[in-house]
Each structure stands twice: as C-alpha cells, then as structure tokens.
Amino acid sequence: MSSQSRLDRAYKNAKNITFNDTSKFILFSDCHRGDNSFADEFANNRNIYIHALKHYFKEGFTYFELGDGDELWENINFSMLLRAHKDVYDLLQLFYRENRLHMIWGNHDMVYKDKTYVKKHLSYYLDHKLNKEVALFPGITFEEAIVLKHEKTSQEIFLLHGHQADFMNYNGWRIHRFLVRILWRPLQVIGILDPTSPAHNYKETIRVERRVKRWILKQKNKLTVMGHTHRPRFPEPGGTALFNDGSCVHPRCITGIEIDKGTITLIKWQISTTEEGFLRIVRSVLEGPTKLTDFVTE
C-alpha cells in the first residue's frame, strides 16, 4: 500500500469532531514520555510541559495529542512511564474526565492501535498506597486520525501523526522498535541519536513532508496538521496547507499549535530568565494567529 493510500484510509476512517469559533484546542505531539532515565528526552522538558498543560486546562482548552505521546519503543510497557511521570498522567486525567482529551497513535506508540492493549494497560493501575486498582483512563480510545469540522463553514482540519507517509515507520515499526531497544537506546545515553528517525534525518523529513503535501493538494489543499518529523511548520495562506506542531523534546522548549476563536497559531513554551535573574516558563508566538478561513479554497 502506497503512502497516498495509507493517508486516504486514515482520512476515511478518521473520528469526526465538530467545532466552532468559540472552540479552544491545543495540539501537541511527539512527547516521547519515557522512564525518566538518561535516555528519556521528555524528562528535560517535563516541567515546561506540566506548566503548559495547567495553563490550557485552566483556560478551558481541549487537548489533542497527535501521536508518539508515549515512548513505547525504548520502554517495554506503559507502567514504566506511569511510574516515571505520574504527575503528567494525573494532569491528562483531568482533561479526560471533562471529555477534553483526544489521543492519536503514532509509530512509537502504535501498540495503542490495539484496543485490547489500551484497555488492559491504560484503564486502571495499581495504587501501591491504597493497595488496589484505581481508574486512570477507563474507556479511552486512540485514533489513527481525527477530522475537525466547523459547524458553520464545514471547513475540515485533518489531524494525524504523519508516519503514514513513512513506509518503514508505518509497516516496519516492529523492526525499528527492536533496533531502538537493542541498539539505539544504549547509544542514546552517550549522545548518539538514531539516524533512521525523520526527526534526526533532514532528508527523510523532506521526503515525508513531500508525500503529505502531495496528498493535501489532491484533497483541494485540505488544512492538515501532523507531527512525526518534529519540525514546526506554519505555511502562509495560499501555500500548501501543511502544518506541523513540532514536538515536546526540542532542546529547552516545547512547541504546539493552538486553535482558538477561529484562528490557528504556532506557539512555543520555554524557560526564560528575567532581568532580576529569576527563571520562569513563558509562552511565545512563533507564527500567527491566522484566520482558519484564510486557508479555505473555493
């Protein structure tokens, strides 16, 4: 099956969610939450991520995670991640309880494609203090893709991870997972990165983006937001409507996309130093806000 066929199938089977100009969405991807070891890239930005999530929860945003939220190539099971980042999952649980959490699976957490696996590992966990099973995300489902559809304009926003345009990371993910666990994880501890990953391979990033762009143009320039490559992308109106929310494992910052009041914005959260010498976590705008209707084609 070609990348175009995989993208067609993801769009056809996508979960549909309606929205309007009062809707407030935050899109993150590629958190790669690990076990808090030296190989856990997420650990470096954990405090930034927690601060950002608290802000979005307080401000009434709905959280969309566009794949690779959990690092299940380097780590064997979800319980390792839960122990390492329990406070993060407690925050995500707050969104879930208010029906403000939507999850998409990527290549690094492709096991979530299996509903039985999700039910077994993410519904409940053993609380050692209470010595009993406690609810975490009972009934949660992970989607391959999501389509946001505006109630009035019918404009669609296609959300997916993006590895559908990457043959080895879609069809050969089990091989990659094996190599990461056996070879690249130990090397990552000493600073050697996996060269097969699009996030670390510029030429592969370009190839993946080119394939997604080709699909977008066949769909009359449908506004599409992906992750996977870790490269933030925010096109100008009139260009190919491919957006990328970046990742949560950039050095010293996380990036994401906000959809708020009918606009779309690429944002960054980072630790900044005040004139007094204090450290604080701040949000800054990288691109936008731009009206979603500016990307509507006739």
Side-chain angles (χ1 to χ4, degrees), residues 226-289:
M226 62 176 281
H228 188 51
T229 65
H230 295 201
R231 184 169 83 148
R233 180 181 174 85
F234 195 96
E236 292 290 333
T240 305
L242 173 60
F243 293 76
N244 193 309
D245 59 6
S247 82
C248 294
V249 292
H250 296 295
R252 299 174 296 281
C253 76
I254 66 175
T255 60
I257 284 180
E258 295 174 359
I259 296 175
D260 183 16
K261 299 177 182 177
T263 67
I264 185 167
T265 308
L266 178 66
I267 53 87
K268 175 174 73 172
W269 290 84
Q270 64 181 343
I271 295 176
S272 178
T273 307
T274 66
E275 293 183 359
E276 295 79 15
F278 297 108
L279 298 178
R280 63 191 184 103
I281 299 172
V282 297
R283 169 191 172 276
S284 57
V285 173
L286 298 177
E287 298 284 351

Side-chain angles (χ1 to χ4, degrees), residues 7-279:
L7 290 165
D8 283 339
R9 185 178 62 183
Y11 174 72
K12 179 181 178 181
N13 297 329
K15 179 179 180 179
N16 286 271
I17 298 175
T18 58
F19 76 106
N20 54 46
D21 288 344
T22 67
S23 301
K24 303 168 75 172
F25 301 147
I26 173 62
L27 281 54
F28 283 132
S29 74
D30 299 276
C31 301
H32 293 277
R33 291 179 289 265
D35 61 356
N36 205 29
S37 68
F38 286 110
D40 183 1
E41 294 179 279
F42 173 76
N44 296 325
N45 292 333
R46 171 176 163 168
N47 290 332
I48 300 175
Y49 180 81
I50 288 175
H51 181 82
L53 252 62
K54 287 181 177 178
H55 165 81
Y56 290 120
F57 182 78
K58 181 181 178 182
E59 295 299 319
F61 280 72
T62 294
Y63 181 91
F64 288 81
E65 193 163 88
L66 309 189
D68 284 4
D70 292 334
E71 180 49 71
L72 291 170
W73 279 11
E74 294 180 2
N75 304 285
I76 297 173
N77 55 58
F78 174 75
S79 62
M80 300 170 66
L81 316 185
L82 181 62
R83 286 195 299 270
H85 302 296
K86 178 63 166 52
D87 49 353
V88 172
Y89 293 104
D90 285 343
L91 267 174
L92 292 174
Q93 188 183 58
L94 295 179
F95 283 93
Y96 184 64
R97 287 173 176 171
E98 296 192 3
N99 196 29
R100 291 161 53 192
L101 180 71
H102 298 280
M103 308 293 271
I104 288 174
W105 45 263
N107 50 305
H108 280 254
D109 51 14
M110 206 157 172
V111 290
Y112 292 156
K113 181 179 180 180
D114 183 348
K115 294 181 180 179
T116 302
Y117 182 98
V118 172
K119 182 178 180 180
K120 178 180 178 181
H121 294 278
L122 275 71
S123 296
Y124 297 88
Y125 70 97
L126 177 62
D127 189 312
H128 294 284
K129 291 183 180 179
L130 301 176
N131 196 30
K132 68 176 183 179
E133 293 278 311
V134 177
L136 185 61
F137 303 115
I140 194 172
T141 58
F142 284 70
E143 311 295 333
E144 179 172 7
I146 294 173
V147 171
L148 304 176
K149 188 168 185 177
H150 197 281
E151 291 177 351
K152 291 185 177 180
T153 67
S154 296
Q155 182 182 16
E156 291 185 345
I157 303 175
F158 184 40
L159 311 178
L160 76 167
H161 182 59
H163 65 305
Q164 290 81 358
D166 186 342
F167 176 82
M168 280 305 298
N169 276 299
Y170 193 89
N171 292 319
W173 68 274
R174 288 183 176 85
I175 298 172
H176 272 204
R177 182 179 64 180
F178 174 79
L179 292 174
V180 166
R181 287 182 182 175
I182 301 302
L183 178 61
W184 295 116
R185 177 182 166 85
L187 292 177
Q188 187 176 356
V189 173
I190 59 175
I192 299 176
L193 302 178
D194 177 3
T196 65
S197 168
H200 306 135
N201 186 325
Y202 181 73
K203 290 183 178 179
E204 184 60 25
T205 293
I206 297 301
R207 283 193 287 266
V208 169
E209 290 180 352
R210 186 184 297 126
R211 293 168 193 142
V212 179
K213 284 181 183 179
R214 190 183 309 137
W215 182 87
I216 289 172
L217 293 176
K218 288 181 180 179
Q219 300 295 322
K220 299 181 179 179
N221 207 27
K222 187 182 299 294
L223 198 161
T224 300
V225 186
M226 62 176 281
H228 188 51
T229 65
H230 295 201
R231 184 169 83 148
R233 180 181 174 85
F234 195 96
E236 292 290 333
T240 305
L242 173 60
F243 293 76
N244 193 309
D245 59 6
S247 82
C248 294
V249 292
H250 296 295
R252 299 174 296 281
C253 76
I254 66 175
T255 60
I257 284 180
E258 295 174 359
I259 296 175
D260 183 16
K261 299 177 182 177
T263 67
I264 185 167
T265 308
L266 178 66
I267 53 87
K268 175 174 73 172
W269 290 84
Q270 64 181 343
I271 295 176
S272 178
T273 307
T274 66
E275 293 183 359
E276 295 79 15
F278 297 108
L279 298 178

